[in-house]
Amino acid sequence: MRKICIGILLFGTTLGLKAQYGTLNQILTRLEERKGINQHLEHENIDNKKFIFIKDAEDHTERDFIVIKGNQATYVEVFDDKSTGQSSSNVFTG
């Protein structure tokens, strides 16, 4: 009798956890849709758009630029050395 009660309790707990997970997953999905996270962006136009990433480290600052024009993309990375004040850059196109 005791084993049956423990089995029913564990089974009920398992079902309760699965129900809570499903509810939590639905709430997170609605929040992601409202905030614009995980959207399907295959129909968005990024022609003539520029994207910039700046990373500030202890010894240098790195700036990355991506410019997209048609089927051509240009990637520029600029490194600023904080100790010497010199800048160096690389440009990639394709």
Side-chain angles (χ1 to χ4, degrees), residues 4-88:
I4 293 173
C5 289
I6 291 173
I8 291 172
L9 181 67
L10 288 175
F11 182 71
T13 304
T14 304
L15 288 177
L17 288 175
K18 286 186 179 182
Q20 288 179 0
Y21 172 76
T23 304
L24 182 63
N25 194 27
Q26 289 175 352
I27 291 170
L28 289 174
T29 302
R30 275 188 265 135
L31 286 173
E32 288 174 350
E33 288 172 354
R34 194 177 308 155
K35 290 283 187 179
I37 301 171
N38 294 334
Q39 291 182 349
H40 298 287
L41 301 174
E42 56 264 358
H43 300 296
E44 289 292 321
N45 185 12
I46 58 171
D47 194 25
N48 293 323
K49 300 288 182 184
K50 298 175 185 172
F51 301 93
I52 301 171
F53 174 72
I54 300 172
K55 180 180 175 186
D56 192 21
E58 292 180 16
D59 58 342
H60 71 282
T61 302
E62 180 179 342
R63 295 175 286 164
D64 298 326
F65 304 91
I66 298 175
V67 180
I68 299 173
K69 291 186 179 182
N71 61 355
Q72 292 290 319
T74 303
Y75 175 70
V76 179
E77 56 183 11
V78 180
F79 297 99
D80 297 325
D81 190 0
K82 290 183 179 179
S83 62
T84 62
Q86 294 181 344
S87 294
S88 62

